[in-house]
Amino acid sequence: MKRFIIIDGNALVHRAFHALPPLSTKEGLFVNAVYGFTMILMRVLKEYHPEYIAVTFDLPAPTFRHKKYAEYKATRIKQPQELYDQLPLVKDVVRAFRIPVLEKEGFEADDLIATLSARIEKELPDTEDIIVTGDMDTLQLVDENTRVYSLKRGLSDILVYDLAMVRERFGLAPEQMNDYKALRGDPSDNIPGVRGIGEKTAIELLQKFGTLGKVLTAAEAGDESIRVRVRELLITYKKDAILGRELVELVKDAPLSASPLECARQESDKEKLRELFTKFEFRTLLPRLDSDEKSAEKQKEKVLPAAKQGTLEDFLQQVKKNEKFSALITDNLLRLASGDAIAQAQWPLSSSEKKILDPMFKSRALKVLHRAKKFIKALQKEKESIEPPFFDLEIAAYLLNPGRRAYELADIAREYHEDTAGLAQVALRLEQKLGTALREVKEIELFQKIEIPLVTILSKMEMLGIKIDEKYLNGLSKQFGKRIDDLNKKIYRLAGYEFNINSPAQIREVLFGKLGLGDKGVRIKKTPGGESSTAAGELEKMRGMHPIVDLIFEHREFAKLRSTYTDALPELIDPRDGRVHTTFNQTVAATGRLSSSDPNLQNIPIRTESGRAIRKAFVAEKGWTLLSADYSQIELRVAASLSGDQKMIAAFQDGRDFHTQTAALVFGVASEKVTAEMRRAAKAVNFGILYGMGSDSLAKATGFSRGQAQGFIEKYFVTFHGLRRFLDGCIKQAREKGYVETLFGRRRYLPEITSGFQRARAQAERMALNHPIQGTAADLMKLAMIKVYPLTQTLSPTGRGQGEEGVRMLLQVHDELVFEVKEKKALEIALSLRALMEGVHALKVPLEVEIKTGHNWGEMKPIGKI
């Protein structure tokens, strides 16, 4: 049979809006409902390949049901305006797919669905219709040729109702569903039903008597098979039941703006969809528009005709012949650099910039690249190099819109209204547009002085990698495995039976079913499916209630460390040098912080013994030692400097323990009278306050009551009123300008700061507090990397290279830089590093760097003040 898809537009929009986080574009346009709706639509099209399709919507005008019953849907809570604002955008997407939109004043979307379904049966008898919806109102329409594709929960849990499934779920036939709702009522639509009769009783009555009319007749006749109390309710609320039956019955003769035949599937307007997806920043959906692999290949050949033939070696020969990098993209380079374009362009350089031009490029030529780091690494492997200045389109796009998840060249081109055919030529025009935009927002210096120089440094750090002790890791993996086995036995013994500890469902059954921990007065959040959550944050609330909880936490820690590090790291070791080569991501964190992947070195825990044990696997080559340079409390120092808070500044300038000083000030005692509990509370607030920590979080971190925690925060801000004023000013700036920025001008755009959607607004406020401080700290770290880079040389891991200086910069993790240095030069290099890093930029408080050294990363000892 042919297929006719009927989509309940309003139901899917509401489901998507509440299932997804508050996604918005850089202009502040909320698109989470549009994204979720579009994702479902594309999934249905791919799954069913329908010959016909239509989307129905409600209109805001009252329907005949409101006229019949004034209280119809009166209890529904008005949704945030951000939901209603997305309905026109959803319709734009539907029309771009060339799908008819059906809506009619006086009728609901479900009435149009019922009418269309009835007409399909008459006019297209060889066609089945599938109703895609998020609620149960259309189950009454299910028959041999009609099914309901229902979103059970979220956007991914799907259940398709046919005749058998309706009977299995409710014990009733589809034609009984209206009588069922009339008896039990429907709170969501404010349909009264028979008060006192719930789901179970309604089903029992209909299974026995068949219809609502027969149930009411039997009750009035005194049928003794119906309990006395139920008979009384049926008689008392008979009118409500009959009214409810009239309200839930769907109309099957509503006027339609398009006949079933006029809903024949048409080819989508791909260009319009690309325009909308680009506007809404749907980058993950863009590639799915071309589902036909052959057409995608043809498009690739059309865009990059030079990619058919050639190798990297061929390309490099061309580079040597043509210093200006005329446009050339080869197949190997395409794979290496993900479709990056290389071109030559003129760039207005300052006199200082001219001095640092590579003498390979004595003309004022600027290299225009996309993801330059990948290209630089490809050249390094061939003993070639490219040095700044160059223009990296990905980094420029990131600075201009740091909230995006990806910066593909084609996406950047679409965003700036460039045709994606001929990417090398497009790159030249994009360089001009992005360069102009960077100047307009005063981020050009950040781009030229920090981000671009860092590209070369990161490429060389990635090439160097860090040595791994594989034998040690294998032994550690066995230790972790033994510990996991021991924990399994203890957990099984406490539970009373064996189960899958990695299964949230089985953990839930043990904790809340078998052990009854959900009844201990602790409020546990529910999953989207209405079940008690076993997420870490919820389990944390149950610590101390039963010993099994602590064991589950420990089991999770060891299992994660084993799978993520002890088992995974050996697989990542390069057999040529025995080292792991992580990738540093420059365009991921909106604050400007670097992240790393394959492996992710940012998430190795350092506060636990097991985490420190993993760090021991990172070692120095023979004759070398690892040297760590760590900024001490850099974000607090940045906060003191940016806020100008005199007490914070004085506490840092005094050179004593800052957390002790804070506790002394807040509690009004001498430093020597500060207890461990006082210091712990001060430390929790010192760090947490920069991220919008409230009294609940502080209470959890310190063991205080909520009242005590609130009192401490109030005292804290009375003491550091300059910091309070600064943080309030950050939120004010975000509301007035739509962004906040770091000391060096790195912006973060926060259009959600004025949203009526409370969750989105609160998240934006936290970002407004966090970005100026954490972003400035990130900028300082990048500047430090640039400043210390001249100490290093490009050396092979064995030490061979030109002008060996005995210093290699290997890792950047949080506030720490890790070097590999010749053992005999460690003290000399430590002196230089500390001087350079502490003098990277003048703040109102001194920057302090702690230097440690050791043969492995987990066992390093401070060198101390030298």
Side-chain angles (χ1 to χ4, degrees):
M1 297 182 75
K2 294 181 179 178
R3 291 196 178 109
F4 198 129
I5 298 291
I6 311 173
I7 295 179
D8 185 345
N10 282 77
L12 294 196
V13 167
H14 278 75
R15 175 61 64 92
F17 181 81
H18 293 290
L20 295 176
L23 308 174
S24 64
T25 66
K26 67 177 181 180
E27 283 83 18
L29 183 69
F30 278 89
V31 291
N32 56 333
V34 191
Y35 180 82
F37 177 94
T38 307
M39 187 172 63
I40 297 166
L41 173 59
M42 294 178 75
R43 181 201 303 158
V44 169
L45 290 174
K46 183 178 181 181
E47 185 175 347
Y48 288 105
H49 302 287
E51 285 77 14
Y52 304 90
I53 187 168
V55 182
T56 65
F57 285 98
D58 294 333
L59 287 175
T63 68
F64 69 91
R65 293 182 178 87
H66 293 91
K67 296 174 183 177
K68 182 174 288 189
Y69 180 52
E71 298 303 309
Y72 179 65
K73 293 189 176 180
T75 55
R76 286 202 172 179
I77 300 172
K78 181 176 171 59
Q79 297 296 311
Q81 187 60 38
E82 285 80 0
L83 185 154
Y84 302 112
D85 291 344
Q86 293 184 64
L87 283 168
L89 310 182
V90 170
K91 293 177 185 177
D92 287 343
V93 170
V94 173
R95 293 187 177 105
F97 273 102
R98 293 201 173 107
I99 297 173
V101 171
L102 306 182
E103 50 194 3
K104 184 68 178 177
E105 282 194 3
F107 296 90
E108 295 182 56
D110 286 346
D111 296 315
L112 304 181
I113 291 172
T115 300
L116 190 55
S117 180
R119 288 187 59 178
I120 290 168
E121 187 175 352
K122 293 179 182 177
E123 299 172 29
L124 299 171
D126 61 341
T127 303
E128 70 165 342
D129 51 298
I130 300 171
I131 300 165
V132 181
T133 184
D135 60 41
M136 300 286 102
D137 292 343
T138 54
L139 289 183
Q140 59 184 279
L141 303 175
V142 172
D143 57 28
E144 291 182 353
N145 290 337
T146 302
R147 291 183 286 160
V148 171
Y149 181 100
S150 173
L151 300 172
K152 187 178 177 185
R153 60 185 176 191
L155 299 182
S156 58
D157 195 352
I158 306 300
L159 194 59
V160 179
Y161 285 93
D162 54 13
L163 286 167
M165 184 59 72
V166 174
R167 285 191 177 278
E168 181 182 332
R169 165 66 177 84
F170 295 97
L172 301 171
E175 58 268 22
Q176 292 177 295
M177 294 306 297
N178 290 337
D179 293 338
Y180 165 70
K181 289 185 73 173
L183 282 169
R184 82 179 207 14
D186 186 350
S188 67
D189 289 341
N190 199 33
I191 293 173
V194 177
R195 291 167 178 79
I197 289 185
E199 180 177 325
K200 183 180 178 182
T201 304
I203 291 173
E204 289 173 350
L205 289 169
L206 291 172
Q207 285 175 338
K208 183 175 182 63
F209 295 102
T211 66
L212 173 65
K214 290 180 180 179
V215 169
L216 294 175
T217 299
E220 290 178 324
D223 192 316
E224 293 186 357
S225 65
I226 305 175
R227 297 191 304 276
V228 175
R229 175 60 178 159
V230 174
R231 284 205 308 268
E232 292 173 351
L233 293 172
L234 288 167
I235 293 169
T236 302
Y237 297 108
K238 175 181 178 181
K239 289 184 179 179
D240 286 341
I242 294 171
L243 174 63
R245 181 65 174 75
E246 294 172 355
L247 292 173
V248 299
E249 178 80 29
L250 295 179
V251 172
K252 296 185 179 179
D253 59 355
L256 296 176
S257 56
S259 69
L261 276 171
E262 291 174 316
C263 297
R265 179 81 176 102
Q266 299 183 53
E267 176 126 11
S268 302
D269 184 342
K270 294 274 183 73
E271 288 308 309
K272 183 62 177 176
L273 284 172
R274 286 192 183 93
E275 177 188 325
L276 288 172
F277 285 14
T278 300
K279 175 184 175 183
F280 301 151
E281 300 177 12
F282 292 169
R283 291 171 191 85
T284 57
L285 297 183
L286 270 168
R288 291 170 53 184
L289 288 176
D290 291 311
S291 57
D292 185 346
E293 291 184 6
K294 291 183 179 179
S295 67
E297 282 299 313
K298 289 178 182 177
Q299 179 70 12
K300 186 176 176 183
E301 290 178 12
K302 177 183 175 185
V303 173
L304 298 171
K308 279 187 173 180
Q309 300 290 333
T311 65
L312 182 59
E313 289 72 19
D314 297 332
F315 169 74
L316 292 170
Q317 289 300 319
Q318 291 294 322
V319 169
K320 290 174 182 177
K321 293 176 183 176
N322 185 351
E323 292 183 349
K324 292 188 178 180
F325 282 82
S326 59
L328 176 67
I329 302 179
T330 68
D331 192 41
N332 274 356
L333 186 61
L334 187 66
R335 287 198 298 270
L336 283 165
S338 305
D340 305 344
I342 309 144
Q344 172 271 335
Q346 296 299 315
W347 180 258
L349 302 172
S350 67
S351 57
S352 60
E353 288 169 333
K354 289 178 185 177
K355 292 178 183 177
I356 59 171
L357 271 174
D358 185 340
M360 187 181 174
F361 297 92
K362 290 183 179 177
S363 64
R364 290 174 57 190
L366 177 86
K367 289 78 76 176
V368 179
L369 305 109
H370 176 258
R371 294 187 178 150
K373 180 154 61 70
K374 288 187 176 181
F375 179 57
I376 291 170
K377 287 172 68 176
L379 289 177
Q380 284 178 345
K381 288 178 181 178
E382 302 300 323
K383 304 296 189 293
E384 300 287 344
S385 66
I386 178 172
E387 298 293 336
F390 49 78
F391 194 100
D392 190 317
L393 297 168
E394 180 186 40
I395 292 176
Y398 158 73
L399 287 178
L400 292 167
N401 183 10
R404 279 169 53 170
R405 290 173 175 78
Y407 301 88
E408 300 297 333
L409 181 55
D411 293 338
I412 299 170
R414 291 189 192 100
E415 184 176 350
Y416 286 87
H417 311 292
E418 288 287 346
D419 187 352
T420 55
L423 289 178
Q425 287 71 36
V426 169
L428 301 181
R429 296 194 293 271
L430 284 176
E431 174 265 316
Q432 294 176 347
K433 289 185 175 183
L434 293 170
T436 299
L438 286 169
R439 284 182 169 80
E440 287 175 352
V441 298
K442 296 181 174 58
E443 287 189 298
I444 191 66
E445 190 168 340
L446 178 69
F447 177 74
Q448 292 175 333
K449 302 287 180 63
I450 296 181
E451 295 296 344
I452 291 301
L454 196 67
V455 172
T456 302
I457 296 171
L458 293 177
S459 70
K460 293 182 178 177
M461 290 169 66
E462 291 176 8
M463 292 285 287
L464 280 169
I466 185 168
K467 189 173 179 63
I468 295 290
D469 186 339
E470 186 174 5
K471 184 178 178 181
Y472 169 81
L473 267 183
N474 291 335
L476 192 61
S477 184
K478 290 177 182 177
Q479 289 180 34
F480 284 1
K482 185 178 183 304
R483 181 58 184 154
I484 290 169
D485 289 340
D486 292 341
L487 288 167
N488 285 339
K489 293 172 185 176
K490 291 180 180 179
I491 291 170
Y492 295 155
R493 187 163 58 250
L494 289 170
Y497 62 93
E498 292 189 9
F499 64 98
N500 183 358
I501 301 173
N502 297 317
S503 166
Q506 293 187 40
I507 285 281
R508 184 182 302 115
E509 175 58 32
V510 169
L511 297 181
F512 305 115
K514 178 71 164 34
L515 301 177
L517 299 188
D519 302 325
K520 303 290 186 181
V522 176
R523 189 173 180 179
I524 303 297
K525 289 181 181 177
K526 301 293 184 182
T527 66
E531 298 166 321
S532 297
S533 171
T534 60
E538 301 310 301
L539 287 188
E540 192 67 47
K541 299 174 183 177
M542 295 186 281
R543 279 196 189 269
M545 292 170 56
H546 194 284
I548 199 171
V549 177
D550 287 334
L551 294 178
I552 289 172
F553 267 109
E554 191 176 354
H555 184 280
R556 286 182 175 181
E557 179 192 4
F558 277 102
K560 182 177 180 180
L561 290 176
R562 191 182 187 194
S563 63
T564 307
Y565 296 108
T566 61
D567 289 353
L569 279 175
E571 299 296 319
L572 297 174
I573 296 174
D574 189 328
R576 293 170 297 183
D577 58 16
R579 297 166 82 92
V580 162
H581 301 265
T582 190
T583 297
F584 292 101
N585 306 306
Q586 207 169 343
T587 61
V588 171
T591 58
R593 277 200 163 200
L594 295 173
S595 66
S596 68
S597 53
D598 302 319
N600 179 356
L601 301 180
Q602 309 280 349
N603 287 347
I604 301 176
I606 59 174
R607 292 185 177 87
T608 63
E609 185 178 344
S610 51
R612 290 190 294 272
I614 289 173
R615 284 194 165 206
K616 293 178 186 178
F618 296 80
V619 299
E621 293 281 356
K622 187 176 180 181
W624 296 66
T625 187
L626 295 184
L627 191 149
S628 157
D630 195 340
Y631 275 118
S632 172
Q633 300 174 340
I634 188 170
E635 290 182 12
L636 290 171
R637 294 172 189 272
V638 166
S641 186
L642 293 182
S643 68
D645 188 290
Q646 292 304 309
K647 288 185 178 177
M648 287 188 80
I649 291 171
F652 274 116
Q653 289 178 338
D654 192 40
R656 297 184 184 178
D657 178 75
F658 182 70
H659 303 311
T660 301
Q661 291 284 84
T662 299
L665 287 168
V666 172
F667 287 107
V669 298
S671 298
E672 57 272 16
K673 295 292 181 70
V674 170
T675 65
E677 184 182 57
M678 290 176 179
R679 186 183 183 278
R680 185 171 66 253
K683 183 177 181 179
V685 176
N686 275 333
F687 287 115
I689 213 72
L690 309 181
Y691 304 98
M693 174 186 271
S695 53
D696 288 338
S697 299
L698 179 60
K700 187 184 296 184
T702 60
F704 286 174
S705 68
R706 190 177 182 280
Q708 288 174 317
Q710 183 60 40
F712 188 91
I713 291 174
E714 289 171 0
K715 285 183 182 178
Y716 186 92
F717 280 127
V718 168
T719 303
F720 299 120
H721 53 84
L723 178 63
R724 168 82 280 172
R725 190 165 53 247
F726 169 74
L727 294 175
D728 289 344
C730 290
I731 294 178
K732 182 181 179 183
Q733 178 187 341
R735 287 179 179 146
E736 291 176 352
K737 296 184 177 181
Y739 65 86
V740 288
E741 58 190 343
T742 71
L743 179 65
F744 300 95
R746 183 185 301 274
R747 291 188 180 185
R748 184 165 194 178
Y749 295 92
L750 300 169
E752 302 91 346
I753 198 80
T754 56
S755 170
F757 191 13
Q758 194 276 333
R759 184 168 53 150
R761 187 175 65 252
Q763 184 179 19
E765 288 176 352
R766 287 193 294 272
M767 292 175 181
L769 298 176
N770 168 253
H771 180 77
I773 296 168
Q774 190 178 92
T776 297
D779 290 339
L780 287 168
M781 174 56 80
K782 289 179 175 179
L783 281 171
M785 295 173 74
I786 294 167
K787 198 153 189 177
V788 303
Y789 180 64
L791 291 177
T792 71
Q793 281 287 337
T794 306
L795 299 174
S796 69
T798 57
R800 292 188 297 273
Q802 294 180 349
E804 180 179 331
E805 292 293 334
V807 186
R808 306 169 186 154
M809 184 156 50
L810 307 183
L811 303 177
Q812 192 280 314
V813 179
H814 302 306
D815 303 326
E816 177 184 13
L817 286 175
V818 178
F819 299 83
E820 190 173 34
V821 303
K822 285 286 189 179
E823 287 181 338
K824 61 184 179 182
K825 292 196 171 186
L827 190 60
E828 174 190 340
I829 292 164
L831 279 168
S832 299
L833 282 175
R834 175 172 285 136
L836 289 169
M837 291 179 69
E838 291 185 345
V840 71
H841 189 84
L843 298 179
K844 294 175 183 175
V845 298
L847 287 172
E848 286 192 6
V849 174
E850 183 179 24
I851 307 287
K852 294 181 180 180
T853 186
H855 187 68
N856 67 66
W857 195 19
E859 294 176 319
M860 304 186 81
K861 296 180 179 179
I863 288 183
K865 288 287 182 183
I866 306 169

